[in-house]
Coordinates of all heavy atoms in Angstrom, one line a residue:
M133 N 0.9 -1.2 0.0 CA 0.0 0.0 0.0 C 0.9 1.2 0.0 O 1.8 1.3 0.9 CB -0.9 0.0 1.2 CG -2.1 1.0 1.2 SD -3.3 0.5 2.4 CE -3.0 1.7 3.6
P134 N 0.7 2.2 -0.9 CA 1.4 3.4 -0.9 C 1.3 4.3 0.4 O 0.2 4.1 1.0 CB 0.9 4.2 -2.1 CG -0.2 3.5 -2.6 CD -0.4 2.1 -1.9
E135 N 2.2 5.1 0.7 CA 2.1 5.9 1.9 C 1.0 7.0 1.8 O 0.5 7.4 2.8 CB 3.5 6.5 2.2 CG 4.5 5.6 2.8 CD 5.7 6.3 3.3 OE1 5.7 7.5 3.5 OE2 6.8 5.6 3.3
A136 N 0.7 7.5 0.6 CA -0.2 8.5 0.4 C -0.9 8.3 -0.9 O -0.3 7.8 -1.8 CB 0.5 10.0 0.5
C137 N -2.1 8.9 -1.0 CA -2.8 8.9 -2.3 C -2.0 9.7 -3.3 O -1.7 10.8 -3.0 CB -4.2 9.5 -2.1 SG -5.2 9.6 -3.6
P138 N -1.8 9.1 -4.5 CA -1.1 9.8 -5.6 C -1.9 11.0 -6.1 O -1.2 11.9 -6.7 CB -0.9 8.7 -6.6 CG -1.9 7.7 -6.4 CD -2.2 7.7 -4.9
V139 N -3.1 11.1 -5.9 CA -3.9 12.2 -6.5 C -4.1 13.3 -5.5 O -3.7 14.5 -5.8 CB -5.3 11.7 -6.9 CG1 -6.2 12.8 -7.4 CG2 -5.2 10.6 -7.9
C140 N -4.5 13.1 -4.2 CA -4.8 14.1 -3.2 C -3.8 14.2 -2.1 O -3.9 15.0 -1.3 CB -6.2 14.0 -2.7 SG -6.5 12.5 -1.8
R141 N -2.9 13.3 -2.0 CA -1.8 13.3 -1.0 C -2.3 12.9 0.4 O -1.6 13.1 1.4 CB -1.0 14.5 -1.0 CG -0.5 15.1 -2.3 CD 0.3 14.1 -3.1 NE 1.4 13.5 -2.3 CZ 2.0 12.3 -2.6 NH1 1.5 11.6 -3.6 NH2 2.9 11.8 -1.9
Q142 N -3.5 12.4 0.4 CA -4.1 11.8 1.8 C -3.2 10.8 2.3 O -2.8 9.8 1.6 CB -5.5 11.4 1.6 CG -6.0 10.5 2.7 CD -6.3 11.3 4.0 OE1 -6.9 12.4 3.9 NE2 -5.9 10.7 5.1
A143 N -2.7 10.9 3.5 CA -1.9 9.8 4.2 C -2.7 8.6 4.4 O -3.8 8.7 4.9 CB -1.3 10.3 5.5
Y144 N -2.2 7.5 3.8 CA -3.1 6.2 4.0 C -2.9 5.6 5.5 O -3.7 4.7 5.8 CB -2.6 5.2 3.0 CG -3.3 5.4 1.6 CD1 -2.5 5.2 0.5 CD2 -4.5 6.0 1.5 CE1 -3.1 5.4 -0.8 CE2 -5.1 6.2 0.2 CZ -4.4 5.9 -0.9 OH -4.9 6.1 -2.1
E145 N -1.9 5.9 6.1 CA -1.8 5.4 7.5 C -1.5 6.6 8.4 O -0.4 7.0 8.7 CB -0.7 4.4 7.6 CG -0.5 3.8 9.0 CD -0.1 2.3 9.0 OE1 0.5 2.0 8.0 OE2 -0.2 1.7 10.1
P146 N -2.6 7.3 9.0 CA -2.5 8.4 9.8 C -1.6 8.3 11.0 O -1.0 9.2 11.4 CB -3.9 8.8 10.2 CG -4.8 8.1 9.2 CD -4.0 6.9 8.8
E147 N -1.7 7.1 11.6 CA -0.7 6.8 12.8 C -0.4 5.3 12.8 O -1.3 4.5 12.2 CB -1.5 7.2 14.0 CG -2.8 6.5 14.3 CD -3.6 7.1 15.5 OE1 -3.7 8.3 15.5 OE2 -4.0 6.4 16.3
P148 N 0.6 4.9 13.5 CA 1.0 3.5 13.5 C -0.2 2.7 14.1 O -0.8 3.1 15.2 CB 2.2 3.4 14.4 CG 2.8 4.7 14.3 CD 1.7 5.7 14.1
G149 N -0.5 1.6 13.6 CA -1.6 0.7 14.2 C -3.0 1.2 13.9 O -3.9 0.7 14.5
F150 N -3.1 2.2 13.0 CA -4.4 2.8 12.7 C -5.3 1.8 12.3 O -6.6 1.9 12.6 CB -4.2 3.8 11.6 CG -5.5 4.5 11.2 CD1 -6.1 5.4 12.1 CD2 -6.1 4.2 10.1 CE1 -7.3 6.0 11.7 CE2 -7.3 4.8 9.7 CZ -7.9 5.7 10.6
Y151 N -5.0 0.8 11.5 CA -5.9 -0.2 10.9 C -6.3 -1.3 11.8 O -7.0 -2.3 11.3 CB -5.4 -0.7 9.6 CG -5.4 0.5 8.5 CD1 -4.3 1.0 8.1 CD2 -6.6 1.0 8.1 CE1 -4.3 2.0 7.2 CE2 -6.7 2.0 7.2 CZ -5.5 2.6 6.8 OH -5.5 3.6 5.9
Y152 N -5.9 -1.4 13.1 CA -6.3 -2.5 13.9 C -7.9 -2.5 14.0 O -8.6 -3.5 14.1 CB -5.8 -2.3 15.4 CG -4.3 -2.8 15.4 CD1 -3.3 -2.0 15.9 CD2 -4.0 -4.1 15.0 CE1 -2.0 -2.4 16.0 CE2 -2.7 -4.5 15.1 CZ -1.7 -3.7 15.5 OH -0.4 -4.1 15.6
G153 N -8.4 -1.3 14.1 CA -9.9 -1.1 14.1 C -10.6 -1.7 12.8 O -11.8 -2.1 12.9
A154 N -9.9 -1.7 11.7 CA -10.5 -2.2 10.5 C -10.7 -3.8 10.6 O -11.7 -4.2 10.0 CB -9.5 -2.0 9.4
M155 N -10.1 -4.4 11.5 CA -10.3 -5.9 11.8 C -11.8 -6.0 12.3 O -12.5 -7.0 11.9 CB -9.3 -6.4 12.8 CG -8.0 -6.6 12.3 SD -6.9 -7.5 13.4 CE -7.1 -6.5 14.9
Y156 N -12.2 -5.1 13.1 CA -13.6 -5.2 13.7 C -14.6 -5.0 12.6 O -15.7 -5.6 12.5 CB -13.8 -4.3 14.8 CG -12.8 -4.6 16.0 CD1 -11.7 -3.9 16.3 CD2 -13.1 -5.7 16.9 CE1 -10.8 -4.4 17.3 CE2 -12.3 -6.1 17.8 CZ -11.2 -5.3 18.1 OH -10.3 -5.7 19.1
I157 N -14.3 -4.0 11.7 CA -15.3 -3.7 10.6 C -15.3 -5.0 9.7 O -16.4 -5.4 9.3 CB -14.7 -2.5 9.8 CG1 -14.8 -1.3 10.8 CG2 -15.6 -2.3 8.6 CD1 -14.2 0.0 10.2
S158 N -14.1 -5.5 9.4 CA -14.1 -6.7 8.5 C -14.8 -7.8 9.2 O -15.5 -8.6 8.5 CB -12.6 -7.1 8.3 OG -12.5 -8.2 7.4
S159 N -14.6 -8.0 10.5 CA -15.3 -9.0 11.3 C -16.8 -8.9 11.1 O -17.6 -9.8 11.0 CB -14.9 -9.0 12.6 OG -15.6 -9.9 13.5
G160 N -17.3 -7.6 11.2 CA -18.7 -7.3 11.0 C -19.2 -7.6 9.7 O -20.3 -8.2 9.5
F161 N -18.4 -7.4 8.6 CA -18.8 -7.8 7.3 C -18.9 -9.3 7.2 O -19.9 -9.9 6.5 CB -17.7 -7.3 6.2 CG -17.9 -5.9 5.9 CD1 -16.8 -5.2 5.6 CD2 -19.1 -5.3 5.6 CE1 -16.8 -3.8 5.2 CE2 -19.2 -3.9 5.3 CZ -18.1 -3.2 5.1
S162 N -17.9 -10.0 7.7 CA -18.0 -11.5 7.7 C -19.2 -12.0 8.3 O -19.8 -13.0 7.9 CB -16.7 -12.1 8.3 OG -15.6 -11.6 7.6
T163 N -19.5 -11.4 9.5 CA -20.7 -11.9 10.2 C -22.0 -11.6 9.4 O -22.8 -12.4 9.4 CB -20.8 -11.2 11.5 OG1 -19.6 -11.4 12.3 CG2 -22.0 -11.6 12.4
A164 N -22.0 -10.5 8.7 CA -23.2 -10.2 7.9 C -23.3 -11.3 6.7 O -24.4 -11.7 6.4 CB -23.1 -8.8 7.4
I165 N -22.2 -11.5 6.2 CA -22.2 -12.6 5.1 C -22.6 -14.0 5.7 O -23.5 -14.7 5.1 CB -20.8 -12.8 4.5 CG1 -20.4 -11.5 3.7 CG2 -20.6 -13.9 3.6 CD1 -19.0 -11.4 3.2
L166 N -22.1 -14.3 6.9 CA -22.5 -15.6 7.5 C -24.0 -15.6 7.7 O -24.6 -16.7 7.4 CB -21.7 -15.7 8.7 CG -21.9 -17.0 9.6 CD1 -20.6 -17.3 10.3 CD2 -23.1 -16.9 10.6
L167 N -24.5 -14.6 8.3 CA -25.9 -14.6 8.5 C -26.8 -14.6 7.2 O -27.8 -15.4 7.1 CB -26.4 -13.3 9.4 CG -25.8 -13.3 10.8 CD1 -26.1 -11.9 11.4 CD2 -26.5 -14.4 11.6
A168 N -26.4 -13.9 6.2 CA -27.1 -13.8 4.9 C -27.1 -15.3 4.3 O -28.2 -15.7 3.8 CB -26.5 -12.8 4.1
I169 N -25.9 -15.8 4.2 CA -25.9 -17.2 3.7 C -26.7 -18.1 4.5 O -27.3 -19.1 3.9 CB -24.4 -17.6 3.4 CG1 -23.8 -16.7 2.3 CG2 -24.3 -19.1 3.1 CD1 -22.3 -17.0 2.2
G170 N -26.5 -18.1 5.8 CA -27.3 -18.9 6.7 C -28.8 -18.8 6.5 O -29.5 -19.9 6.3
F171 N -29.3 -17.7 6.4 CA -30.8 -17.5 6.2 C -31.2 -18.0 4.8 O -32.2 -18.6 4.7 CB -31.1 -16.0 6.4 CG -31.3 -15.7 7.8 CD1 -30.5 -14.8 8.4 CD2 -32.3 -16.2 8.6 CE1 -30.6 -14.4 9.8 CE2 -32.6 -15.9 9.9 CZ -31.7 -15.1 10.5
L172 N -30.3 -17.7 3.8 CA -30.7 -18.1 2.3 C -30.7 -19.6 2.3 O -31.7 -20.2 1.8 CB -29.6 -17.6 1.4 CG -29.8 -16.1 1.1 CD1 -28.6 -15.6 0.2 CD2 -31.2 -15.8 0.4
L173 N -29.7 -20.3 2.9 CA -29.7 -21.7 2.8 C -30.8 -22.3 3.6 O -31.4 -23.3 3.2 CB -28.3 -22.2 3.3 CG -27.1 -22.1 2.4 CD1 -25.9 -22.5 3.0 CD2 -27.4 -22.8 1.1
Y174 N -31.0 -21.8 4.8 CA -32.1 -22.3 5.6 C -33.4 -22.3 5.0 O -34.2 -23.2 5.0 CB -32.1 -21.7 7.0 CG -33.0 -22.3 8.0 CD1 -32.6 -23.3 8.7 CD2 -34.4 -21.7 8.1 CE1 -33.5 -24.0 9.6 CE2 -35.2 -22.3 9.1 CZ -34.8 -23.4 9.8 OH -35.7 -24.0 10.7
Y175 N -33.7 -21.1 4.4 CA -35.1 -20.9 3.9 C -35.2 -21.3 2.4 O -36.3 -21.8 2.0 CB -35.5 -19.5 4.0 CG -35.8 -19.1 5.5 CD1 -35.0 -18.3 6.3 CD2 -36.9 -19.7 6.2 CE1 -35.2 -18.1 7.6 CE2 -37.2 -19.5 7.5 CZ -36.3 -18.7 8.2 OH -36.5 -18.4 9.5
L176 N -34.2 -21.1 1.6 CA -34.3 -21.5 0.1 C -33.9 -22.9 -0.1 O -34.3 -23.5 -1.1 CB -33.5 -20.5 -0.6 CG -33.9 -19.0 -0.6 CD1 -33.1 -18.1 -1.4 CD2 -35.4 -18.9 -1.0
A177 N -32.9 -23.4 0.5 CA -32.4 -24.7 0.3 C -33.0 -25.8 1.4 O -32.5 -26.9 1.4 CB -30.9 -24.8 0.3
D178 N -33.9 -25.4 2.1 CA -34.6 -26.2 3.0 C -33.7 -26.9 4.0 O -33.7 -28.1 4.2 CB -35.4 -27.3 2.3 CG -36.6 -27.9 3.1 OD1 -37.0 -27.2 4.1 OD2 -37.0 -29.0 2.8
D179 N -32.9 -26.1 4.8 CA -32.0 -26.5 5.9 C -31.1 -27.6 5.5 O -31.4 -28.8 5.9 CB -32.8 -26.8 7.1 CG -32.0 -26.9 8.4 OD1 -30.8 -26.4 8.3 OD2 -32.4 -27.4 9.3
P180 N -30.1 -27.4 4.6 CA -29.2 -28.6 4.3 C -28.3 -29.0 5.4 O -28.4 -28.3 6.5 CB -28.4 -27.9 3.1 CG -28.3 -26.4 3.4 CD -29.8 -26.2 4.0
P181 N -27.5 -30.0 5.3 CA -26.7 -30.5 6.3 C -25.6 -29.4 6.8 O -25.3 -28.5 6.0 CB -25.9 -31.7 5.8 CG -26.6 -32.0 4.6 CD -27.5 -30.9 4.2
L182 N -25.0 -29.5 7.9 CA -24.1 -28.5 8.5 C -22.9 -28.2 7.5 O -22.5 -27.1 7.4 CB -23.6 -29.0 9.9 CG -22.7 -28.0 10.5 CD1 -23.3 -26.7 10.8 CD2 -22.2 -28.6 11.9
W183 N -22.4 -29.3 6.9 CA -21.2 -29.1 6.0 C -21.5 -28.2 4.9 O -20.6 -27.5 4.4 CB -20.7 -30.5 5.6 CG -21.5 -31.2 4.5 CD1 -22.5 -32.1 4.8 CD2 -21.5 -31.0 3.1 NE1 -23.1 -32.5 3.6 CE2 -22.5 -31.8 2.6 CE3 -20.8 -30.1 2.2 CZ2 -22.7 -31.9 1.2 CZ3 -21.0 -30.3 0.9 CH2 -22.0 -31.1 0.4
V184 N -22.8 -28.1 4.5 CA -23.1 -27.2 3.4 C -23.0 -25.7 3.8 O -22.5 -24.9 3.2 CB -24.6 -27.5 2.8 CG1 -24.9 -26.5 1.8 CG2 -24.6 -28.9 2.3
Y185 N -23.5 -25.5 5.0 CA -23.3 -24.1 5.6 C -21.9 -23.7 5.7 O -21.5 -22.7 5.3 CB -24.0 -24.1 7.0 CG -25.5 -24.1 7.0 CD1 -26.1 -25.4 7.3 CD2 -26.2 -23.0 6.8 CE1 -27.5 -25.4 7.4 CE2 -27.6 -23.0 6.9 CZ -28.3 -24.2 7.2 OH -29.6 -24.2 7.3
I186 N -21.1 -24.6 6.3 CA -19.7 -24.3 6.5 C -19.0 -24.1 5.2 O -18.2 -23.1 5.1 CB -19.0 -25.4 7.4 CG1 -19.7 -25.5 8.8 CG2 -17.5 -25.2 7.5 CD1 -19.2 -26.7 9.6
T187 N -19.2 -25.0 4.3 CA -18.5 -24.9 3.0 C -19.0 -23.6 2.3 O -18.1 -22.8 1.7 CB -18.9 -26.1 2.1 OG1 -18.5 -27.3 2.8 CG2 -18.1 -26.0 0.8
A188 N -20.2 -23.3 2.2 CA -20.7 -22.1 1.5 C -20.2 -20.8 2.1 O -19.7 -20.0 1.5 CB -22.2 -22.1 1.5
V189 N -20.3 -20.8 3.4 CA -19.8 -19.5 4.1 C -18.3 -19.4 4.0 O -17.8 -18.3 3.6 CB -20.2 -19.5 5.6 CG1 -19.5 -18.4 6.4 CG2 -21.7 -19.4 5.8
G190 N -17.5 -20.5 4.1 CA -16.1 -20.4 4.0 C -15.7 -19.9 2.5 O -14.8 -19.2 2.4
A191 N -16.3 -20.6 1.6 CA -16.0 -20.3 0.2 C -16.2 -18.8 -0.1 O -15.4 -18.1 -0.8 CB -16.7 -21.2 -0.8
V192 N -17.5 -18.3 0.3 CA -17.8 -16.9 0.0 C -16.9 -15.9 0.7 O -16.4 -14.9 0.1 CB -19.3 -16.6 0.3 CG1 -19.6 -15.2 0.2 CG2 -20.1 -17.4 -0.7
V193 N -16.6 -16.2 2.0 CA -15.8 -15.3 2.8 C -14.4 -15.3 2.2 O -13.7 -14.3 2.1 CB -15.8 -15.7 4.3 CG1 -14.7 -15.0 5.0 CG2 -17.1 -15.3 4.9
L194 N -13.8 -16.5 1.8 CA -12.5 -16.6 1.2 C -12.4 -15.8 -0.1 O -11.5 -15.1 -0.4 CB -12.1 -18.0 1.0 CG -11.3 -18.7 2.1 CD1 -11.0 -20.1 1.7 CD2 -10.1 -17.9 2.4
A195 N -13.5 -15.9 -0.9 CA -13.5 -15.2 -2.2 C -13.6 -13.8 -2.1 O -13.0 -13.1 -2.9 CB -14.7 -15.8 -3.0
V196 N -14.3 -13.2 -1.1 CA -14.4 -11.7 -0.9 C -13.5 -11.1 0.1 O -13.5 -10.0 0.3 CB -15.9 -11.3 -0.6 CG1 -16.8 -11.8 -1.7 CG2 -16.3 -11.9 0.8
T197 N -12.5 -12.0 0.6 CA -11.5 -11.4 1.6 C -10.8 -10.2 1.0 O -10.6 -9.2 1.7 CB -10.6 -12.5 2.0 OG1 -11.4 -13.4 2.9 CG2 -9.4 -12.0 2.8
P198 N -10.3 -10.2 -0.3 CA -9.6 -9.0 -0.8 C -10.5 -7.8 -0.7 O -10.0 -6.6 -0.4 CB -9.2 -9.4 -2.2 CG -9.2 -10.9 -2.2 CD -10.2 -11.3 -1.3
L199 N -11.7 -7.9 -1.0 CA -12.7 -6.8 -0.9 C -13.0 -6.3 0.5 O -13.0 -5.1 0.8 CB -14.0 -7.1 -1.6 CG -14.0 -7.4 -3.1 CD1 -15.4 -7.9 -3.6 CD2 -13.6 -6.2 -3.8
L200 N -13.1 -7.3 1.4 CA -13.4 -7.0 2.8 C -12.2 -6.2 3.4 O -12.3 -5.2 4.1 CB -13.6 -8.2 3.6 CG -14.9 -9.1 3.3 CD1 -14.9 -10.3 4.3 CD2 -16.1 -8.2 3.5
F201 N -11.0 -6.7 3.0 CA -9.8 -6.0 3.5 C -9.7 -4.6 3.0 O -9.5 -3.7 3.9 CB -8.5 -6.8 2.9 CG -7.2 -6.2 3.3 CD1 -6.7 -6.5 4.5 CD2 -6.5 -5.4 2.4 CE1 -5.4 -5.9 4.9 CE2 -5.2 -4.9 2.7 CZ -4.7 -5.2 4.0
R202 N -10.0 -4.3 1.7 CA -9.9 -3.0 1.3 C -11.0 -2.1 1.7 O -10.8 -0.9 2.1 CB -9.9 -2.9 -0.3 CG -8.5 -3.4 -0.9 CD -8.7 -3.7 -2.3 NE -7.5 -4.2 -2.8 CZ -6.5 -3.5 -3.4 NH1 -6.7 -2.2 -3.6 NH2 -5.4 -4.1 -3.8
Y203 N -12.3 -2.6 1.7 CA -13.4 -1.8 2.2 C -13.4 -1.5 3.7 O -13.8 -0.4 4.1 CB -14.7 -2.4 1.7 CG -15.0 -2.1 0.2 CD1 -14.9 -3.1 -0.7 CD2 -15.2 -0.8 -0.3 CE1 -15.1 -2.9 -2.0 CE2 -15.4 -0.6 -1.5 CZ -15.4 -1.6 -2.5 OH -15.6 -1.4 -3.8
S204 N -12.9 -2.5 4.4 CA -12.9 -2.2 5.9 C -11.8 -1.1 6.2 O -12.1 -0.2 7.0 CB -12.6 -3.5 6.7 OG -11.3 -4.0 6.3
R205 N -10.7 -1.2 5.4 CA -9.7 0.0 5.6 C -10.2 1.3 5.1 O -10.0 2.3 5.8 CB -8.5 -0.5 5.0 CG -7.6 -1.4 5.6 CD -6.4 -1.8 4.9 NE -5.4 -2.5 5.8 CZ -4.1 -2.1 6.0 NH1 -3.6 -1.2 5.2 NH2 -3.4 -2.7 6.8
A206 N -10.9 1.2 4.0 CA -11.5 2.5 3.5 C -12.5 3.1 4.5 O -12.6 4.3 4.8 CB -12.1 2.3 2.1
L207 N -13.4 2.2 5.0 CA -14.3 2.7 5.9 C -13.7 3.3 7.2 O -14.1 4.2 7.8 CB -15.4 1.6 6.4 CG -16.4 1.3 5.3 CD1 -17.3 0.2 5.8 CD2 -17.3 2.5 5.1
M208 N -12.6 2.6 7.7 CA -11.8 3.0 8.9 C -11.4 4.4 8.6 O -11.3 5.3 9.5 CB -10.8 2.0 9.2 CG -9.9 2.2 10.4 SD -10.9 1.9 11.8 CE -9.8 2.6 13.1
L209 N -10.7 4.6 7.4 CA -10.1 5.9 7.0 C -11.2 7.0 7.0 O -11.0 8.1 7.5 CB -9.4 5.7 5.7 CG -8.3 6.7 5.3 CD1 -7.3 6.8 6.5 CD2 -7.7 6.3 4.0
Y210 N -12.3 6.7 6.4 CA -13.4 7.7 6.3 C -14.0 7.9 7.7 O -14.2 9.1 7.9 CB -14.6 7.2 5.5 CG -14.3 7.5 4.0 CD1 -13.8 6.7 3.1 CD2 -14.8 8.8 3.5 CE1 -13.6 7.0 1.7 CE2 -14.6 9.2 2.2 CZ -14.0 8.3 1.3 OH -13.8 8.6 0.0
A211 N -14.1 7.0 8.6 CA -14.7 7.2 9.9 C -13.7 7.8 10.9 O -14.2 8.7 11.6 CB -15.2 5.9 10.4
F212 N -12.5 7.5 10.9 CA -11.6 7.9 11.9 C -10.3 8.5 11.4 O -9.5 9.0 12.2 CB -11.2 6.8 12.9 CG -12.4 6.1 13.6 CD1 -12.8 4.9 13.1 CD2 -13.2 6.8 14.5 CE1 -13.9 4.2 13.6 CE2 -14.3 6.2 15.0 CZ -14.6 4.9 14.6
G213 N -10.1 8.6 10.1 CA -8.8 9.2 9.6 C -8.9 10.6 9.2 O -7.9 11.1 8.6
G214 N -10.1 11.2 9.4 CA -10.1 12.6 9.0 C -10.1 12.9 7.6 O -9.8 14.0 7.1
T215 N -10.5 11.9 6.8 CA -10.7 12.1 5.3 C -12.2 12.1 4.9 O -13.0 11.7 5.7 CB -9.9 11.1 4.6 OG1 -9.9 11.4 3.3 CG2 -10.5 9.7 4.8
G216 N -12.4 12.5 3.7 CA -13.7 12.4 3.2 C -13.8 12.6 1.7 O -12.7 12.8 1.1
F217 N -14.9 12.5 1.1 CA -15.1 12.7 -0.2 C -15.0 14.1 -0.7 O -15.4 15.0 -0.1 CB -16.5 12.1 -0.7 CG -16.8 12.3 -2.2 CD1 -16.2 11.5 -3.1 CD2 -17.7 13.2 -2.5 CE1 -16.4 11.7 -4.5 CE2 -17.9 13.4 -3.9 CZ -17.3 12.7 -4.9
D218 N -14.2 14.3 -1.7 CA -14.0 15.7 -2.3 C -14.1 15.6 -3.8 O -13.3 15.0 -4.5 CB -12.6 16.2 -1.9 CG -12.5 17.6 -2.3 OD1 -13.3 18.2 -3.1 OD2 -11.5 18.3 -1.7
P219 N -15.2 16.1 -4.3 CA -15.5 16.0 -5.7 C -14.5 16.7 -6.6 O -14.4 16.4 -7.8 CB -16.9 16.7 -5.9 CG -17.1 17.5 -4.6 CD -16.3 16.9 -3.5
R220 N -13.6 17.5 -6.1 CA -12.6 18.1 -6.9 C -11.6 17.1 -7.4 O -10.9 17.3 -8.4 CB -11.8 19.2 -6.1 CG -12.7 20.5 -5.8 CD -11.8 21.4 -5.0 NE -11.5 20.8 -3.7 CZ -10.5 21.2 -2.9 NH1 -9.8 22.3 -3.2 NH2 -10.3 20.6 -1.8
F221 N -11.5 16.0 -6.7 CA -10.5 15.0 -7.1 C -11.1 13.8 -8.0 O -10.5 12.8 -8.3 CB -9.9 14.3 -5.9 CG -9.0 15.3 -5.2 CD1 -9.3 15.8 -4.0 CD2 -7.8 15.8 -5.8 CE1 -8.6 16.7 -3.3 CE2 -7.0 16.7 -5.2 CZ -7.4 17.2 -3.9
L222 N -12.4 14.0 -8.4 CA -13.0 13.0 -9.3 C -12.3 13.0 -10.6 O -11.9 14.0 -11.2 CB -14.5 13.3 -9.6 CG -15.5 12.9 -8.5 CD1 -16.9 13.4 -9.0 CD2 -15.5 11.5 -8.4
R223 N -12.0 11.7 -11.1 CA -11.4 11.6 -12.5 C -12.4 11.8 -13.5 O -13.6 11.5 -13.4 CB -11.0 10.2 -12.6 CG -9.7 9.9 -11.7 CD -9.0 8.7 -12.2 NE -7.9 8.5 -11.4 CZ -7.5 7.3 -10.9 NH1 -8.2 6.2 -11.2 NH2 -6.5 7.2 -10.1
R224 N -12.1 12.6 -14.6 CA -13.0 12.9 -15.6 C -12.6 12.1 -16.8 O -11.6 11.6 -17.1 CB -12.9 14.5 -16.0 CG -13.5 15.2 -14.8 CD -13.5 16.7 -15.1 NE -14.0 17.3 -14.0 CZ -13.3 17.8 -13.0 NH1 -12.0 17.5 -12.9 NH2 -13.9 18.4 -12.0
Ligands
LIG1410 ZN1 -6.8 10.6 -2.9

């Protein structure tokens, strides 16, 4: 990860250990995925065996881990890093 945004120079790590909180955000995303898949399988697939739940949740969470990593860090930066959306930096 670069030290600062190449466009607006926003520091990507405002302080050491800043992204520890992103683990909790990522954990929340994972929990939401777990619950969504659990409810979908329970109601749409008529409550399959336990290994189906475990395999489905594991596969989906593994597949979206790169997205969870990036979006949890971005949310952390927006929430606590003193940054925000600035339309002047939109690409045209
Ligand atoms: Zn930027």
Side-chain angles (χ1 to χ4, degrees):
M133 195 161 104
E135 284 187 21
C137 175
V139 176
C140 66
R141 312 306 310 155
Q142 162 72 43
Y144 280 147
E145 187 151 13
E147 60 189 45
F150 178 74
Y151 290 109
Y152 283 125
M155 288 189 304
Y156 296 101
I157 297 172
S158 180
S159 173
F161 281 141
S162 297
T163 303
I165 290 170
L166 183 148
L167 290 175
I169 291 174
F171 279 113
L172 283 175
L173 286 175
Y174 186 83
Y175 289 109
L176 297 182
D178 201 21
D179 195 16
L182 180 63
W183 70 267
V184 174
Y185 287 100
I186 294 171
T187 305
V189 169
V192 171
V193 168
L194 270 180
V196 299
T197 290
L199 293 175
L200 294 183
F201 180 79
R202 288 172 184 260
Y203 281 110
S204 62
R205 282 179 163 229
L207 284 176
M208 187 73 189
L209 201 52
Y210 270 93
F212 303 107
T215 186
F217 175 71
D218 188 341
R220 289 178 301 162
F221 293 110
L222 275 180
R223 291 198 181 135
R224 290 182 180 88

